[in-house]
Amino acid sequence: MRFQSIRGVKDILPGEIEAVQRLEQAARSVFESFGFSEIRIPIFEVTELFARGIGAATDIVEKEMYTFEDRDGKKITLRPEGTASVVRAYIEHQLNLKAPVTKLYYLGPMFRHERPQAGRFRQFYQIGVEALGTDRPVMDVEVLAMLTAVLNQVGVTAVQLEINSLGDAACRPPYRKTLKAYFKTHLAQLCEDCRRRHETNPMRIMDCKQEGCMAVTAKAPSPLDHLCGECMAHFQQVKDGLNRLKIPFIVNERLVRGLDYYTRTAFEVTTTKLGAQNAIAAGGRYDGLVEELGGPPTPSIGFAMGVERIASLMERIETPKPDVFFALLGEEAVRPMLPVIVRLRGEGVRVEMDYSGGGLKKQMGLADKLGARYTLIIGENELKSGKAILRNMADKSQTELSLSELTQLLPERLRKP
Ligand code: HAM
């Protein structure tokens, strides 16, 4: 019996993981410079948290969650996103009492039972941030500056930031009504899903990629024409702030989000290089969510980056190569050299060796294959003379190094270009 990973769930192998690691490092360092701290949230939560948080009439909750009963009969869901969990943790640990604004980031796998295709997986990784406790537009700008900085650091620059405002508790309900009335007059042209959404979640129709629906939404009322004065001023200040920081963006008034908690600023970073799955990061404000989940009124904003999608846009990064390959001939050489190797590794030197008991030729072949910078050859003669041969694998030059001083001489040699 041969096992395979589940459809839509993939391994990230050496050769692919390096870009992911670099993205994670860049994100951590940028986020921490903006004063964000890491939070580790659980992989699973009670189902109700996501149903309430993300919205019962969203695709995620209606058809994409991995939900099961555990052995106690409790309804559990593998997290489809991180925001609801961060808000749950914020309320549970009363983080609002510790600081006026709580700035958190997280990374890890998310799970959605979507139809797998290029760039869309059932287990995928996100790196996300949430800033809880302020509705000031400066935070919207900072969060977007932070996202831009991470993408710049990893060299993903041919992307577009699209922003929109979805209104708030005052202006969204009347807009929703207007939208519903508009779609009602065009029901025949909408796809089956959207005919249903028209009742439950009319804003989602704006996001449908079916041709008929797109023709209808092209002429649909825009949320921007229905913003209240406060939302309009807020959106203007966000745009002004982005301009001041010279962060390029376009306003996309068709941009709605697949999760219900968004208010005011909503955004996506898109690319033309990945086909249909063109969003590499997305987020927005969710000024009502903390209260909705039982906490104090806490206007908040955040985003999540799609790690696989961003990594696929990054230049391939090579797996690190050994600094030195120890070609040890026979157990007599392995025994005294093992402590030396361990010590060198402790100092950060990347040391490789042969584990199959091959002869010199085979070991040299392996050193070559691994791309080692140097090979250190130690056999019977070298043990006797107390001097090993250090071979530069690029120019094939050889020198001798005293065995008793290896731990000092070798790092010195490696520091030279
Ligand atoms: P989201 O738009 O659902 O937002 O996901 C954010 C990003 O995760 C997407 O832009 C995409 O790059 C990636 N992504 C989503 N689904 C998949 C998938 N099936 N396969 C691969 N990548 C995927 C959220 O999750 C919100 N929690 C973001 C947020 C944080 N809003 C406020 N704070």
Side-chain angles (χ1 to χ4, degrees):
M1 168 106 190
R2 272 181 61 169
F3 293 104
Q4 280 194 324
S5 62
I6 291 170
R7 202 163 102 86
V9 175
K10 64 176 200 124
D11 303 303
I12 309 177
L13 299 175
E16 303 168 316
I17 197 71
E18 292 77 11
V20 172
Q21 290 171 332
R22 181 167 296 178
L23 174 60
E24 287 174 355
Q25 279 157 11
R28 278 180 195 281
S29 96
V30 170
F31 296 165
E32 283 170 16
S33 75
F34 277 75
F36 283 65
S37 310
E38 182 172 358
I39 179 170
R40 290 274 163 113
I41 40 178
I43 303 270
F44 53 88
E45 303 263 7
V46 296
T47 303
E48 188 58 19
L49 171 68
F50 299 116
R52 284 279 293 274
I54 299 168
T58 57
D59 282 356
I60 295 181
V61 173
E62 272 184 351
K63 45 190 186 195
E64 294 170 3
M65 294 205 303
Y66 278 93
T67 296
F68 57 95
E69 268 185 21
D70 75 2
R71 286 168 191 275
D72 308 320
K74 211 187 195 91
K75 249 183 137 185
I76 301 288
T77 294
L78 299 186
R79 62 183 187 196
E81 60 113 41
T83 311
S85 300
V86 170
V87 169
R88 194 259 317 129
Y90 175 84
I91 299 168
E92 185 172 335
H93 304 290
Q94 296 189 302
L95 299 182
N96 57 314
L97 302 181
K98 302 206 168 113
V101 178
T102 306
K103 300 190 280 188
L104 301 169
Y105 75 86
Y106 51 91
L107 32 97
M110 307 291 161
F111 306 85
R112 296 185 194 175
H113 193 274
E114 294 189 83
R115 203 162 46 78
Q117 50 175 258
R120 190 159 76 192
F121 310 104
R122 289 181 168 171
Q123 172 173 333
F124 59 97
Y125 285 77
Q126 282 189 345
I127 303 178
V129 308
E130 313 293 348
L132 305 110
T134 178
D135 65 357
R136 304 253 328 268
V138 64
M139 186 53 92
D140 305 42
V141 176
E142 287 228 316
V143 158
L144 287 167
M146 202 160 65
L147 174 54
T148 312
V150 175
L151 294 175
N152 282 341
Q153 265 205 21
V154 297
V156 173
T157 47
V159 294
Q160 182 143 59
L161 169 62
E162 304 180 17
I163 65 169
N164 195 16
S165 177
L166 303 176
D168 64 5
C171 56
R172 170 91 71 86
Y175 168 64
R176 210 180 117 110
K177 230 176 178 171
T178 309
L179 201 59
K180 208 165 160 180
Y182 169 79
F183 285 130
K184 194 160 184 192
T185 59
H186 295 82
L187 277 186
Q189 288 146 270
L190 298 180
C191 72
E192 206 182 307
D193 264 352
C194 285
R195 256 178 266 149
R196 191 174 42 83
R197 284 185 187 131
H198 157 259
E199 276 303 326
T200 55
N201 202 348
M203 283 178 75
R204 292 293 305 153
I205 301 176
M206 303 287 264
D207 204 25
C208 183
K209 300 284 183 303
Q210 301 277 340
E211 233 168 79
C213 302
M214 280 170 71
V216 175
T217 54
K219 298 200 187 93
S222 157
L224 295 183
D225 295 333
H226 294 78
L227 294 182
C228 60
E230 280 178 31
C231 285
M232 219 182 305
H234 191 277
F235 193 47
Q236 190 57 48
Q237 287 179 61
V238 174
K239 289 186 290 182
D240 289 347
L242 292 175
N243 284 329
R244 232 172 282 127
L245 292 181
K246 300 199 166 42
I247 296 174
F249 65 91
I250 60 161
V251 173
N252 174 4
E253 50 189 335
R254 307 275 142 214
L255 177 89
V256 289
R257 303 272 301 120
L259 305 93
D260 274 356
Y261 47 62
Y262 291 108
T263 52
R264 292 191 168 170
T265 314
F267 55 87
E268 274 182 11
V269 178
T270 56
T271 168
T272 51
K273 293 187 184 160
L274 292 181
Q277 302 311 315
N278 64 351
I280 59 166
R285 266 204 170 276
Y286 48 95
D287 291 344
L289 181 61
V290 179
E291 224 176 333
E292 171 69 29
L293 294 179
T298 312
S300 307
I301 182 166
F303 66 74
M305 298 188 271
V307 170
E308 291 84 353
R309 293 183 192 175
I310 295 176
S312 73
L313 294 174
M314 290 166 62
E315 267 180 33
R316 205 183 158 90
I317 300 164
E318 286 202 19
T319 313
K321 305 228 154 76
D323 296 312
V324 55
F325 183 95
F326 271 56
L328 303 173
L329 306 173
E331 274 308 305
E332 300 68 37
V334 172
R335 240 175 280 124
M337 281 305 121
L338 208 51
V340 176
I341 289 175
V342 168
R343 190 144 158 221
L344 285 167
R345 285 175 174 155
E347 287 171 30
V349 179
R350 276 194 292 266
V351 183
E352 260 301 351
M353 58 191 277
D354 164 70
Y355 299 98
S356 62
L360 182 60
K361 199 162 165 217
K362 201 167 160 209
Q363 294 205 29
M364 293 307 282
L366 180 59
D368 225 11
K369 195 168 157 207
L370 293 173
R373 231 178 110 201
Y374 288 96
T375 300
L376 193 74
I377 304 163
I378 304 171
E380 210 178 316
N381 293 341
E382 287 73 21
L383 287 174
K384 255 190 224 141
S385 68
K387 289 201 170 110
I389 300 166
L390 184 69
R391 182 177 170 91
N392 181 325
M393 298 299 279
D395 64 16
K396 314 275 186 259
S397 61
Q398 298 196 159
T399 43
E400 288 192 336
L401 289 185
S402 150
L403 280 180
S404 57
E405 293 170 292
L406 264 188
T407 49
Q408 187 202 331
L409 294 178
L410 204 52
E412 265 171 31
R413 173 55 66 98
L414 291 171
R415 269 195 292 277
K416 291 189 196 148

